[in-house]
Amino acid sequence: MQRTILCTLFLLVQAVHVYADETDAAIANLPEGPERSSIELGRHIVLDTPRYAPGHVPGGMSCASCHIDGGTRPNASPWYGITGVLPAYSARSGTAVTLEQRINDCFRRSENGVPLALDSMEMKALVAYMSFLSRGIAPRQFGPGRGMGHLASARDPDTAHGQAIYIQKCAACHSASGSGMRSGATYAVPPLWGDASYNIGASMARVGPAAAFIAHNMPLGQGGSLSDQDAIDIASYVNSHPRPDYADKAADWPNGDKPEDARY
Ligand code: HEC
Ligand code: HEC
């Protein structure tokens, strides 16, 4: 039984990761030198964050746990064009946010981890990688599917119904306890709640963004198969569980404009 699940998981993960090869091939075609090395390091950090940014993600999730295929998947918050749209005003911080600050927001919130030094090799590598993905896209433009996409319907969530579908469609990979499936220092399937998951300060902790991500991308390899309402119900179930607190939450939305589904 366990073996069948693992084989199916392996095949699905392989199918989904075909896109990723194109990015690796494009990087391999760049002239050798420090710039290519930095772009390569950036991609490694995104795909295997615990190994390439040691000490910064104690929970063990990678950026690519959410930014599927390393930020190249529409509606899984891709980065095609990101260097031309930031800095930009963020209602959450009440200030203009640079790309480096946005990256560290994901370290502190989505990864419940430790930010990178702004002048570190790792930060420069992440910016180099995102600049590489943004090549050829005019400033203020963006590739397809920025963010997590949008949902057409927005009725109130039915958390009990979300639990029933979760058991049916998600638990085989993410487990009934939401703990995911480990593979060494990182995850073959990332956790959805508990100490190793994103904290309450993350966008994914809000039902709206989580439901949009789930509707477009999950179950892995079958994105678009759930109804919007089912995705909202499951997102509500996932986010009804305990997860880490966010220490700096009192500083968020200093000028108002707090989204309705904010956690605090
Ligand atoms: C738990 C899921 C999750 C993880 C893990 C995660 N992020 Fe994010 N990230 C998000 C969400 C959600 C958004 C907001 C998307 C939106 O605007 O709708 C986001 C946004 C971003 C953005 C801005 C995108 C834009 O279009 O403005 C950047 C850059 C980014 N993340 C980088 C990273 C990096 C680098 C890592 C790894 C250190 C990481 N993220 C890990 C969920 C995650
Ligand atoms: C076939 C296995 C599989 C199934 C089934 C599956 N997932 Fe995932 N899920 C993954 C993997 C693997 C990732 C990380 C992305 C990657 O590696 O491409 C992921 C990532 C996620 C993430 C973002 C990362 C995190 O841990 O927060 C969420 C949220 C999520 N899945 C929710 C769901 C929900 C809800 C369902 C059921 C509707 C579901 N998944 C079904 C394998 C699966």
Side-chain angles (χ1 to χ4, degrees), residues 236-248:
S236 169
Y237 174 68
V238 166
N239 282 336
S240 70
H241 294 88
R243 59 182 62 261
D245 192 19
Y246 177 55
D248 289 337

Side-chain angles (χ1 to χ4, degrees), residues 8-9 12-13 16-17 61 64-69 73 165-166 169-174 187-193 197-198 204 210 213-214 217-222 226 234-235 238 243:
T8 314
L9 173 65
L12 272 168
V13 171
V16 164
H17 287 268
M61 285 213 290
S65 298
C66 299
H67 300 275
I68 297 183
D69 284 342
R73 179 69 67 90
I165 316 172
Y166 180 86
K169 303 210 163 167
C170 320
C173 288
H174 289 281
Y187 283 93
V189 182
L192 298 184
W193 61 83
S197 186
Y198 50 89
M204 199 67 103
F213 173 87
I214 291 166
N217 300 291
M218 292 290 144
L220 190 69
Q222 299 167 60
L226 295 167
I234 304 174
V238 166
R243 59 182 62 261

Side-chain angles (χ1 to χ4, degrees), residues 2 9 25 29 42 49-50 76 78 110 120 136 151 172 175 178 195 200 220 224 230 235 242 256:
Q2 182 77 2
L9 173 65
N29 275 335
T49 317
S110 302
S120 62
L151 297 184
S175 98
D195 291 346
I200 62 165
L220 190 69
D230 283 354

Side-chain angles (χ1 to χ4, degrees), residues 12-24 43 69 73:
L12 272 168
V13 171
Q14 289 300 302
V16 164
H17 287 268
V18 168
Y19 291 87
D21 295 344
E22 288 171 21
T23 311
D24 289 324
R43 183 153 169 89
D69 284 342
R73 179 69 67 90

Side-chain angles (χ1 to χ4, degrees), residues 159-186:
T159 308
H161 182 239
Q163 174 173 20
I165 316 172
Y166 180 86
I167 297 301
Q168 229 183 323
K169 303 210 163 167
C170 320
C173 288
H174 289 281
S175 98
S177 69
S179 61
M181 232 184 267
R182 284 205 82 97
S183 164
T186 185

Side-chain angles (χ1 to χ4, degrees), residues 45-46 49 57 61-67 77-79 82 85-86 99 102-103 106-107 110-111 126 130 142 146-148 198 202-204 209:
I45 295 170
V46 168
T49 317
V57 290
M61 285 213 290
S62 289
C63 310
S65 298
C66 299
H67 300 275
S77 192
W79 297 321
I82 189 75
V85 297
L86 296 182
L99 178 56
R102 187 66 190 82
I103 288 171
C106 266
F107 270 99
S110 302
E111 298 276 7
L126 285 170
M130 292 180 196
F142 210 89
R146 187 177 181 191
M148 301 307 187
Y198 50 89
S203 298
M204 199 67 103

